[in-house]
Amino acid sequence: MPHWQNWSGKQRSKVDLLHFARSVDDISAVVTRLAKTPGKRLRVAGAGHSHAPLVVGADQVLDISGLSGVISTDLSHQRSKIWAGTPIYMLGRALHDQGLALRNQGDIDRQFLAGACATGTHGSGSQLQNLSASIESMTLVDGKGQLRVCSKATLGDDFEALKVGLGAFGVVTEIEINLRPAFRLREQSDSMSGAEVLENLEALSGSGARFEFFWQPRQDAALVKTLHETLDPPVYPIGEEGERCGWNFEVLPNHRPHLHTEMEYSVAAEDGPTCFAEIRELLLHRFTDVHWPVEYRTLARDDSWLSNAFERETVTISVHEDVRNDERGYYEACEAIFKKYQGRPHWGKVHYAQSSDFIASYPRWLDWWRLRNTFDPAGCFLNDFLSSVSPKGL
Ligand SMILES: Cc1cc2nc3c(=O)[nH]c(=O)nc-3n(C[C@H](O)[C@H](O)[C@H](O)COP(=O)(O)OP(=O)(O)OC[C@H]3O[C@@H](n4cnc5c(N)ncnc54)[C@H](O)[C@@H]3O)c2cc1C
Protein backbone atom coordinates (compact mmCIF):
# COMPACT_ATOMS: atom_id res chain seq x y z
CA MET A 1 0.00 0.00 0.00
CA PRO A 2 1.54 3.37 -0.97
CA HIS A 3 2.02 6.02 1.65
CA TRP A 4 2.48 9.77 1.70
CA GLN A 5 4.49 11.80 4.20
CA ASN A 6 5.28 15.44 4.73
CA TRP A 7 8.69 17.16 4.89
CA SER A 8 9.28 16.53 8.59
CA GLY A 9 7.95 12.96 8.45
CA LYS A 10 5.58 13.67 11.34
CA GLN A 11 2.52 13.57 9.08
CA ARG A 12 2.25 10.30 7.23
CA SER A 13 -0.52 8.01 6.11
CA LYS A 14 -1.17 5.00 3.93
CA VAL A 15 -3.38 5.64 0.92
CA ASP A 16 -5.27 3.42 -1.51
CA LEU A 17 -3.88 5.32 -4.47
CA LEU A 18 -1.13 7.85 -5.06
CA HIS A 19 -1.73 9.61 -8.39
CA PHE A 20 0.77 11.61 -10.41
CA ALA A 21 -0.78 14.16 -12.74
CA ARG A 22 1.05 15.57 -15.73
CA SER A 23 -1.85 17.34 -17.41
CA VAL A 24 -5.22 18.88 -16.71
CA ASP A 25 -6.78 15.87 -18.49
CA ASP A 26 -5.06 13.55 -15.99
CA ILE A 27 -6.56 15.54 -13.13
CA SER A 28 -10.06 15.61 -14.62
CA ALA A 29 -9.90 11.84 -15.12
CA VAL A 30 -8.86 11.23 -11.50
CA VAL A 31 -11.61 13.47 -10.11
CA THR A 32 -14.29 12.08 -12.44
CA ARG A 33 -13.43 8.52 -11.37
CA LEU A 34 -13.45 9.59 -7.73
CA ALA A 35 -16.88 11.22 -8.06
CA LYS A 36 -18.25 7.81 -9.14
CA THR A 37 -17.07 6.15 -5.91
CA PRO A 38 -19.12 7.79 -3.14
CA GLY A 39 -17.34 8.23 0.15
CA LYS A 40 -13.83 8.22 -1.31
CA ARG A 41 -11.77 11.31 -0.62
CA LEU A 42 -8.77 12.83 -2.38
CA ARG A 43 -6.23 15.37 -1.21
CA VAL A 44 -3.78 17.22 -3.38
CA ALA A 45 -0.16 17.28 -2.27
CA GLY A 46 2.11 20.21 -2.97
CA ALA A 47 5.69 20.05 -1.75
CA GLY A 48 4.57 18.53 1.55
CA HIS A 49 5.97 21.38 3.64
CA SER A 50 2.93 21.75 5.89
CA HIS A 51 3.18 20.50 9.44
CA ALA A 52 -0.61 20.40 9.78
CA PRO A 53 -2.61 17.28 8.77
CA LEU A 54 -3.80 18.79 5.50
CA VAL A 55 -2.80 16.09 3.02
CA VAL A 56 -3.04 12.98 5.20
CA GLY A 57 -6.33 11.45 6.34
CA ALA A 58 -7.92 10.76 2.93
CA ASP A 59 -8.10 7.71 0.65
CA GLN A 60 -6.10 9.05 -2.25
CA VAL A 61 -3.38 11.63 -2.76
CA LEU A 62 -2.73 13.48 -6.01
CA ASP A 63 0.80 14.70 -6.63
CA ILE A 64 0.78 17.64 -9.04
CA SER A 65 4.52 18.15 -9.39
CA GLY A 66 4.16 17.28 -13.10
CA LEU A 67 2.31 20.55 -13.69
CA SER A 68 5.12 23.02 -13.37
CA GLY A 69 6.39 26.17 -15.07
CA VAL A 70 5.29 29.61 -16.23
CA ILE A 71 2.49 29.32 -18.81
CA SER A 72 2.38 32.91 -20.05
CA THR A 73 3.19 36.44 -18.95
CA ASP A 74 1.31 39.66 -19.61
CA LEU A 75 4.16 42.15 -19.33
CA SER A 76 1.97 45.24 -19.67
CA HIS A 77 -0.15 44.23 -16.64
CA GLN A 78 2.74 42.51 -14.81
CA ARG A 79 0.93 39.21 -14.41
CA SER A 80 1.85 35.59 -15.07
CA LYS A 81 -0.19 32.43 -15.38
CA ILE A 82 1.68 29.68 -13.60
CA TRP A 83 1.09 25.94 -13.27
CA ALA A 84 -0.05 25.09 -9.75
CA GLY A 85 2.77 22.60 -9.11
CA THR A 86 5.57 25.08 -9.77
CA PRO A 87 8.10 25.21 -6.93
CA ILE A 88 8.74 28.78 -5.83
CA TYR A 89 12.48 28.28 -6.30
CA MET A 90 11.89 27.64 -10.02
CA LEU A 91 9.69 30.68 -10.30
CA GLY A 92 12.29 33.15 -9.02
CA ARG A 93 14.66 33.06 -12.00
CA ALA A 94 11.93 32.44 -14.58
CA LEU A 95 10.12 35.63 -13.54
CA HIS A 96 13.38 37.52 -13.15
CA ASP A 97 14.30 36.74 -16.76
CA GLN A 98 11.17 38.70 -17.69
CA GLY A 99 12.05 41.58 -15.36
CA LEU A 100 9.44 40.56 -12.77
CA ALA A 101 9.23 39.26 -9.22
CA LEU A 102 6.77 37.94 -6.66
CA ARG A 103 5.66 40.73 -4.33
CA ASN A 104 6.59 38.63 -1.34
CA GLN A 105 7.49 35.07 -0.42
CA GLY A 106 8.21 32.96 2.64
CA ASP A 107 11.40 32.17 4.45
CA ILE A 108 12.10 29.16 2.21
CA ASP A 109 11.30 28.61 -1.47
CA ARG A 110 10.65 24.86 -1.51
CA GLN A 111 6.84 25.15 -1.52
CA PHE A 112 4.75 24.83 -4.67
CA LEU A 113 2.80 27.92 -5.70
CA ALA A 114 -0.64 26.35 -5.09
CA GLY A 115 0.42 24.81 -1.77
CA ALA A 116 1.86 28.07 -0.49
CA CYS A 117 -1.23 30.05 -1.50
CA ALA A 118 -3.65 27.47 -0.08
CA THR A 119 -2.37 28.00 3.48
CA GLY A 120 -1.68 31.74 3.45
CA THR A 121 2.10 31.53 3.26
CA HIS A 122 3.80 34.86 3.95
CA GLY A 123 7.13 36.58 4.43
CA SER A 124 7.67 39.65 6.58
CA GLY A 125 6.96 43.37 6.20
CA SER A 126 4.19 45.50 7.66
CA GLN A 127 3.22 46.64 4.16
CA LEU A 128 3.47 43.23 2.52
CA GLN A 129 0.58 40.82 2.22
CA ASN A 130 0.37 37.04 2.02
CA LEU A 131 1.37 35.49 -1.29
CA SER A 132 -2.28 34.49 -1.86
CA ALA A 133 -3.33 38.17 -1.84
CA SER A 134 -1.63 38.52 -5.26
CA ILE A 135 -3.88 35.96 -6.95
CA GLU A 136 -5.83 37.39 -9.88
CA SER A 137 -7.48 34.20 -11.03
CA MET A 138 -7.28 30.49 -10.50
CA THR A 139 -8.34 27.51 -12.56
CA LEU A 140 -9.46 24.37 -10.80
CA VAL A 141 -11.18 21.04 -11.30
CA ASP A 142 -14.15 21.01 -8.92
CA GLY A 143 -15.79 18.07 -7.16
CA LYS A 144 -17.89 17.23 -10.22
CA GLY A 145 -14.82 17.07 -12.44
CA GLN A 146 -15.55 20.40 -14.10
CA LEU A 147 -12.78 22.80 -15.05
CA ARG A 148 -13.62 26.28 -13.71
CA VAL A 149 -11.86 29.58 -14.12
CA CYS A 150 -12.40 31.55 -10.93
CA SER A 151 -11.74 35.25 -10.45
CA LYS A 152 -13.34 38.39 -9.09
CA ALA A 153 -15.01 38.75 -12.51
CA THR A 154 -16.65 35.30 -12.33
CA LEU A 155 -17.32 35.05 -8.57
CA GLY A 156 -17.40 38.60 -7.21
CA ASP A 157 -16.50 38.85 -3.50
CA ASP A 158 -16.76 35.05 -3.15
CA PHE A 159 -13.42 34.82 -4.93
CA GLU A 160 -11.78 35.93 -1.67
CA ALA A 161 -12.80 32.56 -0.21
CA LEU A 162 -10.76 30.59 -2.72
CA LYS A 163 -7.42 32.34 -2.26
CA VAL A 164 -6.65 30.61 1.03
CA GLY A 165 -8.57 27.50 0.02
CA LEU A 166 -6.91 24.68 2.03
CA GLY A 167 -7.24 22.41 -1.00
CA ALA A 168 -10.96 22.14 -0.29
CA PHE A 169 -12.49 23.71 -3.41
CA GLY A 170 -10.92 21.38 -5.93
CA VAL A 171 -7.63 20.64 -7.64
CA VAL A 172 -6.04 23.93 -8.63
CA THR A 173 -4.32 23.60 -11.99
CA GLU A 174 -3.09 27.13 -12.65
CA ILE A 175 -2.83 30.43 -10.84
CA GLU A 176 -2.61 33.89 -12.34
CA ILE A 177 -0.65 36.11 -10.04
CA ASN A 178 0.12 39.80 -10.08
CA LEU A 179 3.77 40.68 -9.87
CA ARG A 180 6.06 43.67 -9.57
CA PRO A 181 9.27 44.70 -11.31
CA ALA A 182 12.30 42.71 -10.19
CA PHE A 183 14.09 44.33 -7.25
CA ARG A 184 17.26 44.04 -5.27
CA LEU A 185 17.56 43.77 -1.52
CA ARG A 186 20.28 44.46 1.00
CA GLU A 187 19.99 42.41 4.16
CA GLN A 188 21.38 43.57 7.49
CA SER A 189 21.44 41.78 10.78
CA ASP A 190 22.04 42.97 14.32
CA SER A 191 22.17 41.25 17.67
CA MET A 192 20.06 42.54 20.52
CA SER A 193 19.16 41.26 23.94
CA GLY A 194 15.57 40.18 24.52
CA ALA A 195 14.94 43.35 26.57
CA GLU A 196 16.38 45.59 23.83
CA VAL A 197 14.22 43.98 21.18
CA LEU A 198 11.12 44.55 23.27
CA GLU A 199 12.06 48.19 23.87
CA ASN A 200 12.57 48.84 20.15
CA LEU A 201 9.91 46.57 18.74
CA GLU A 202 7.33 49.15 17.76
CA ALA A 203 9.88 51.29 15.91
CA LEU A 204 11.40 48.27 14.18
CA SER A 205 8.02 46.84 13.12
CA GLY A 206 6.72 50.17 11.87
CA SER A 207 9.79 51.05 9.81
CA GLY A 208 8.17 49.77 6.62
CA ALA A 209 11.18 47.56 5.87
CA ARG A 210 11.07 43.80 5.64
CA PHE A 211 11.82 43.15 9.28
CA GLU A 212 11.89 40.04 11.44
CA PHE A 213 13.77 38.63 14.34
CA PHE A 214 14.70 35.24 15.70
CA TRP A 215 14.97 35.21 19.47
CA GLN A 216 17.14 32.50 21.04
CA PRO A 217 15.75 31.53 24.46
CA ARG A 218 18.94 30.04 25.89
CA GLN A 219 20.88 33.28 25.31
CA ASP A 220 17.93 35.64 25.66
CA ALA A 221 19.30 37.27 22.50
CA ALA A 222 17.80 38.06 19.11
CA LEU A 223 19.10 38.18 15.59
CA VAL A 224 17.25 41.11 14.06
CA LYS A 225 17.06 41.10 10.26
CA THR A 226 16.03 44.02 8.08
CA LEU A 227 15.96 44.02 4.31
CA HIS A 228 15.86 47.27 2.36
CA GLU A 229 15.36 47.67 -1.35
CA THR A 230 18.56 48.89 -2.97
CA LEU A 231 20.02 49.84 -6.34
CA ASP A 232 23.41 48.43 -5.28
CA PRO A 233 24.69 45.66 -7.54
CA PRO A 234 24.44 42.08 -6.24
CA VAL A 235 27.46 40.74 -4.40
CA TYR A 236 28.37 37.20 -5.46
CA PRO A 237 28.73 34.64 -4.07
CA ILE A 238 25.51 35.57 -2.39
CA GLY A 239 26.83 34.49 1.03
CA GLU A 240 25.22 33.51 4.28
CA GLU A 241 21.94 34.63 5.76
CA GLY A 242 22.26 38.00 7.46
CA GLU A 243 24.52 40.08 5.18
CA ARG A 244 23.39 39.45 1.62
CA CYS A 245 22.89 41.84 -1.29
CA GLY A 246 21.23 40.57 -4.45
CA TRP A 247 18.03 40.09 -6.39
CA ASN A 248 14.84 39.38 -4.46
CA PHE A 249 14.78 35.65 -5.21
CA GLU A 250 18.45 35.30 -4.26
CA VAL A 251 18.16 36.98 -0.87
CA LEU A 252 14.69 36.18 0.47
CA PRO A 253 14.76 32.38 0.70
CA ASN A 254 16.86 30.61 3.28
CA HIS A 255 18.16 27.11 3.61
CA ARG A 256 16.50 25.29 6.51
CA PRO A 257 17.89 21.75 6.48
CA HIS A 258 17.25 20.80 10.12
CA LEU A 259 14.02 18.89 10.45
CA HIS A 260 11.69 20.55 12.91
CA THR A 261 8.06 21.23 13.66
CA GLU A 262 6.59 24.70 13.97
CA MET A 263 3.56 26.36 15.51
CA GLU A 264 2.72 29.86 14.31
CA TYR A 265 -0.07 32.16 15.36
CA SER A 266 -1.09 35.56 14.01
CA VAL A 267 -2.21 38.28 16.37
CA ALA A 268 -3.27 41.88 15.80
CA ALA A 269 -0.18 44.01 15.17
CA GLU A 270 -0.75 46.09 18.31
CA ASP A 271 -0.75 42.92 20.46
CA GLY A 272 2.49 41.56 18.96
CA PRO A 273 4.94 42.98 21.53
CA THR A 274 2.96 41.90 24.63
CA CYS A 275 2.21 38.49 23.17
CA PHE A 276 5.89 37.95 22.38
CA ALA A 277 6.82 39.15 25.90
CA GLU A 278 4.59 36.40 27.37
CA ILE A 279 6.10 33.73 25.13
CA ARG A 280 9.57 34.93 26.16
CA GLU A 281 8.67 34.62 29.86
CA LEU A 282 7.32 31.12 29.23
CA LEU A 283 10.61 30.03 27.71
CA LEU A 284 12.84 31.79 30.23
CA HIS A 285 11.04 30.33 33.25
CA ARG A 286 9.15 27.19 32.28
CA PHE A 287 10.43 25.56 29.09
CA THR A 288 14.12 26.16 29.77
CA ASP A 289 15.21 23.09 27.75
CA VAL A 290 13.94 24.47 24.44
CA HIS A 291 16.73 25.91 22.33
CA TRP A 292 14.91 26.49 19.06
CA PRO A 293 14.18 30.15 18.29
CA VAL A 294 10.98 32.17 18.37
CA GLU A 295 10.38 34.04 15.10
CA TYR A 296 8.55 37.36 14.92
CA ARG A 297 7.26 38.83 11.65
CA THR A 298 4.88 41.50 10.42
CA LEU A 299 2.18 41.19 7.78
CA ALA A 300 -0.27 43.56 6.07
CA ARG A 301 -4.02 42.96 6.25
CA ASP A 302 -5.94 41.43 3.36
CA ASP A 303 -9.46 40.37 2.40
CA SER A 304 -9.20 36.63 1.94
CA TRP A 305 -11.77 34.99 4.21
CA LEU A 306 -9.44 32.45 5.80
CA SER A 307 -6.28 34.50 5.65
CA ASN A 308 -4.47 34.82 8.97
CA ALA A 309 -4.35 38.57 8.19
CA PHE A 310 -8.04 38.86 7.29
CA GLU A 311 -9.04 42.47 7.96
CA ARG A 312 -6.31 43.15 10.48
CA GLU A 313 -2.72 44.38 10.49
CA THR A 314 -0.84 41.40 11.78
CA VAL A 315 2.16 40.09 13.64
CA THR A 316 3.05 36.42 13.36
CA ILE A 317 4.92 34.63 16.12
CA SER A 318 6.24 31.12 15.64
CA VAL A 319 7.83 28.58 17.91
CA HIS A 320 9.87 25.59 16.81
CA GLU A 321 11.05 22.27 18.15
CA ASP A 322 13.37 19.54 16.91
CA VAL A 323 11.44 16.90 14.99
CA ARG A 324 12.78 14.18 17.34
CA ASN A 325 11.26 15.82 20.40
CA ASP A 326 7.69 15.69 21.63
CA GLU A 327 6.56 19.27 21.15
CA ARG A 328 3.01 18.95 22.45
CA GLY A 329 3.36 20.26 26.03
CA TYR A 330 5.41 23.24 24.91
CA TYR A 331 3.16 24.08 21.97
CA GLU A 332 -0.01 23.77 24.06
CA ALA A 333 1.37 26.27 26.55
CA CYS A 334 2.22 28.66 23.70
CA GLU A 335 -1.18 28.16 22.11
CA ALA A 336 -2.89 29.12 25.38
CA ILE A 337 -1.03 32.45 25.24
CA PHE A 338 -1.79 32.98 21.55
CA LYS A 339 -5.48 32.35 22.19
CA LYS A 340 -5.57 35.08 24.85
CA TYR A 341 -4.74 37.48 22.01
CA GLN A 342 -7.40 36.09 19.61
CA GLY A 343 -4.61 34.40 17.68
CA ARG A 344 -5.23 32.63 14.38
CA PRO A 345 -3.14 29.55 13.65
CA HIS A 346 -1.13 29.26 10.44
CA TRP A 347 -3.04 26.68 8.40
CA GLY A 348 0.15 24.88 7.40
CA LYS A 349 1.70 24.62 10.86
CA VAL A 350 1.03 22.73 14.08
CA HIS A 351 -2.05 23.78 16.05
CA TYR A 352 -4.70 22.10 18.17
CA ALA A 353 -7.51 24.47 17.24
CA GLN A 354 -11.06 23.18 16.86
CA SER A 355 -14.20 24.20 15.06
CA SER A 356 -15.27 26.62 17.83
CA ASP A 357 -11.90 28.39 17.65
CA PHE A 358 -12.26 28.96 13.91
CA ILE A 359 -15.83 30.25 14.26
CA ALA A 360 -14.55 32.76 16.81
CA SER A 361 -11.54 33.93 14.84
CA TYR A 362 -12.83 33.97 11.25
CA PRO A 363 -15.98 36.10 10.71
CA ARG A 364 -16.54 34.45 7.28
CA TRP A 365 -15.95 30.86 8.47
CA LEU A 366 -19.52 29.67 7.85
CA ASP A 367 -19.71 31.51 4.49
CA TRP A 368 -16.46 29.84 3.47
CA TRP A 369 -17.93 26.41 4.17
CA ARG A 370 -21.23 27.18 2.42
CA LEU A 371 -19.38 28.22 -0.72
CA ARG A 372 -16.93 25.33 -0.52
CA ASN A 373 -19.81 22.87 -0.34
CA THR A 374 -21.17 24.16 -3.65
CA PHE A 375 -17.83 23.39 -5.34
CA ASP A 376 -17.63 19.94 -3.81
CA PRO A 377 -21.11 18.80 -2.69
CA ALA A 378 -20.04 15.18 -2.14
CA GLY A 379 -17.09 16.13 0.06
CA CYS A 380 -14.50 14.52 -2.25
CA PHE A 381 -11.83 17.03 -1.19
CA LEU A 382 -12.25 16.71 2.56
CA ASN A 383 -10.00 14.75 4.87
CA ASP A 384 -10.12 13.82 8.55
CA PHE A 385 -8.95 17.25 9.71
CA LEU A 386 -11.36 19.25 7.54
CA SER A 387 -14.28 16.96 8.37
CA SER A 388 -13.51 17.39 12.08
CA VAL A 389 -13.82 21.19 11.87
CA SER A 390 -16.59 21.42 9.28
CA PRO A 391 -19.73 23.09 10.68
CA LYS A 392 -22.64 20.68 10.98
CA GLY A 393 -26.00 21.27 9.35
CA LEU A 394 -24.98 23.69 6.61
C1 LIG B 1 11.11 24.69 6.60
C2 LIG B 1 9.78 25.38 6.41
C3 LIG B 1 9.75 26.77 6.29
C4 LIG B 1 8.53 27.42 6.13
N1 LIG B 1 8.52 28.79 6.03
C5 LIG B 1 7.35 29.46 5.93
C6 LIG B 1 7.30 30.88 5.86
O1 LIG B 1 8.32 31.56 5.85
N2 LIG B 1 6.09 31.48 5.80
C7 LIG B 1 4.93 30.77 5.84
O2 LIG B 1 3.85 31.37 5.83
N3 LIG B 1 4.94 29.42 5.86
C8 LIG B 1 6.12 28.77 5.91
N4 LIG B 1 6.13 27.39 5.94
C9 LIG B 1 4.85 26.68 5.77
C10 LIG B 1 4.58 26.40 4.28
O3 LIG B 1 4.83 27.54 3.48
C11 LIG B 1 3.11 26.03 4.07
O4 LIG B 1 2.77 24.97 4.90
C12 LIG B 1 2.81 25.69 2.60
O5 LIG B 1 1.44 25.40 2.47
C13 LIG B 1 3.61 24.54 2.07
O6 LIG B 1 3.40 24.45 0.68
P1 LIG B 1 3.47 23.03 -0.05
O7 LIG B 1 3.59 23.25 -1.50
O8 LIG B 1 4.48 22.20 0.61
O9 LIG B 1 1.99 22.50 0.24
P2 LIG B 1 1.50 21.19 1.00
O10 LIG B 1 1.97 21.25 2.41
O11 LIG B 1 1.84 19.99 0.21
O12 LIG B 1 -0.07 21.43 0.94
C14 LIG B 1 -0.64 22.52 1.62
C15 LIG B 1 -2.11 22.65 1.25
O13 LIG B 1 -2.23 23.03 -0.12
C16 LIG B 1 -3.11 22.16 -0.79
N5 LIG B 1 -2.70 22.10 -2.19
C17 LIG B 1 -1.46 21.97 -2.70
N6 LIG B 1 -1.50 21.98 -4.03
C18 LIG B 1 -2.80 22.12 -4.39
C19 LIG B 1 -3.49 22.19 -5.63
N7 LIG B 1 -2.86 22.14 -6.79
N8 LIG B 1 -4.83 22.30 -5.60
C20 LIG B 1 -5.50 22.35 -4.45
N9 LIG B 1 -4.90 22.29 -3.25
C21 LIG B 1 -3.57 22.19 -3.22
C22 LIG B 1 -2.98 20.84 -0.07
O14 LIG B 1 -4.10 20.01 -0.27
C23 LIG B 1 -2.88 21.33 1.37
O15 LIG B 1 -4.17 21.61 1.87
C24 LIG B 1 7.31 26.69 6.08
C25 LIG B 1 7.36 25.29 6.18
C26 LIG B 1 8.58 24.65 6.34
C27 LIG B 1 8.61 23.15 6.47
Side-chain angles (χ1 to χ4, degrees), residues 4 7 43-51 54-55 64 84 106-108 111-112 114-116 118-123 166-167 170-173 256 260 262 264 297 346 348-349:
W4 184 89
W7 170 79
R43 292 296 288 166
V44 188
H49 274 57
S50 294
H51 302 282
L54 286 175
V55 178
I64 47 135
D107 180 65
I108 56 158
Q111 311 94 330
F112 292 179
T119 60
T121 290
H122 61 92
L166 309 182
V171 183
V172 178
T173 58
R256 303 274 182 240
H260 60 268
E262 181 175 353
E264 176 185 300
R297 294 187 270 188
H346 189 303
K349 302 189 184 180

Side-chain angles (χ1 to χ4, degrees), residues 267-283:
V267 298
E270 62 268 24
D271 291 332
T274 41
C275 182
F276 167 69
E278 280 203 49
I279 296 285
R280 175 171 169 249
E281 289 298 312
L282 185 78
L283 278 149

Side-chain angles (χ1 to χ4, degrees), residues 47-356:
H49 274 57
S50 294
H51 302 282
L54 286 175
V55 178
V56 294
D59 307 285
Q60 304 179 13
V61 166
L62 174 63
D63 177 328
I64 47 135
S65 52
L67 248 70
S68 169
V70 176
I71 303 166
S72 62
T73 297
D74 175 349
L75 283 174
S76 60
H77 291 98
Q78 298 184 355
R79 290 176 186 176
S80 284
K81 288 186 178 165
I82 297 161
W83 290 116
T86 310
I88 296 201
Y89 63 84
M90 280 179 61
L91 210 45
R93 188 165 294 283
L95 295 177
H96 180 78
D97 289 347
Q98 305 188 70
L100 296 169
L102 293 175
R103 291 178 181 279
N104 201 7
Q105 64 184 80
D107 180 65
I108 56 158
D109 58 6
R110 303 291 104 181
Q111 311 94 330
F112 292 179
L113 182 62
C117 289
T119 60
T121 290
H122 61 92
S124 193
S126 58
Q127 286 158 25
L128 295 167
Q129 297 176 310
N130 279 338
L131 186 53
S132 54
S134 303
I135 300 176
E136 291 288 340
S137 70
M138 135 190 334
T139 306
L140 57 77
V141 177
D142 71 11
K144 295 174 197 152
Q146 282 166 358
L147 192 65
R148 295 171 68 163
V149 181
C150 305
S151 66
K152 190 123 195 150
T154 60
L155 291 176
D157 180 48
D158 284 356
F159 184 53
E160 294 297 338
L162 277 71
K163 291 182 178 175
V164 177
L166 309 182
F169 285 81
V171 183
V172 178
T173 58
E174 66 179 68
I175 293 180
E176 182 185 20
I177 199 146
N178 74 57
L179 304 160
R180 55 160 292 177
F183 58 103
R184 277 167 271 174
L185 288 167
R186 180 175 286 285
E187 182 181 54
Q188 282 177 306
S189 60
D190 291 300
S191 294
M192 286 187 189
S193 69
E196 279 172 328
V197 162
L198 272 168
E199 258 169 51
N200 294 298
L201 200 40
E202 275 183 38
L204 286 165
S205 306
S207 71
R210 293 164 194 259
F211 148 81
E212 68 179 312
F213 70 81
F214 292 88
W215 175 73
Q216 298 289 348
R218 289 283 185 87
Q219 295 83 27
D220 189 16
L223 177 80
V224 179
K225 276 175 44 173
T226 41
L227 292 98
H228 291 277
E229 293 193 25
T230 180
L231 296 176
D232 293 346
V235 178
Y236 297 117
I238 207 73
E240 293 304 312
E241 180 176 0
E243 304 296 338
R244 297 170 286 192
C245 182
W247 291 100
N248 53 289
F249 68 98
E250 297 171 324
V251 173
L252 285 170
N254 298 295
H255 186 46
R256 303 274 182 240
H258 301 295
L259 290 184
H260 60 268
T261 59
E262 181 175 353
M263 165 179 277
E264 176 185 300
Y265 265 75
S266 298
V267 298
E270 62 268 24
D271 291 332
T274 41
C275 182
F276 167 69
E278 280 203 49
I279 296 285
R280 175 171 169 249
E281 289 298 312
L282 185 78
L283 278 149
L284 290 179
H285 302 295
R286 201 167 138 206
F287 290 94
T288 50
D289 286 347
V290 174
H291 66 265
W292 281 74
V294 177
E295 187 178 8
Y296 187 103
R297 294 187 270 188
T298 53
L299 180 62
R301 65 191 288 151
D302 66 44
D303 301 315
S304 181
W305 298 359
L306 293 199
S307 164
N308 56 346
F310 178 68
E311 293 189 341
R312 76 178 182 196
E313 302 299 334
T314 290
V315 154
T316 69
I317 301 176
S318 43
V319 295
H320 308 77
E321 184 51 286
D322 190 296
V323 76
R324 292 164 296 189
N325 294 344
D326 179 5
E327 70 281 355
R328 183 129 191 162
Y330 169 42
Y331 284 2
E332 280 178 344
C334 293
E335 189 169 67
I337 294 176
F338 292 135
K339 280 188 178 174
K340 273 172 53 185
Y341 294 91
Q342 289 78 49
R344 295 171 177 158
H346 189 303
W347 291 108
K349 302 189 184 180
V350 179
H351 63 81
Y352 313 109
Q354 295 172 358
S355 185
S356 53

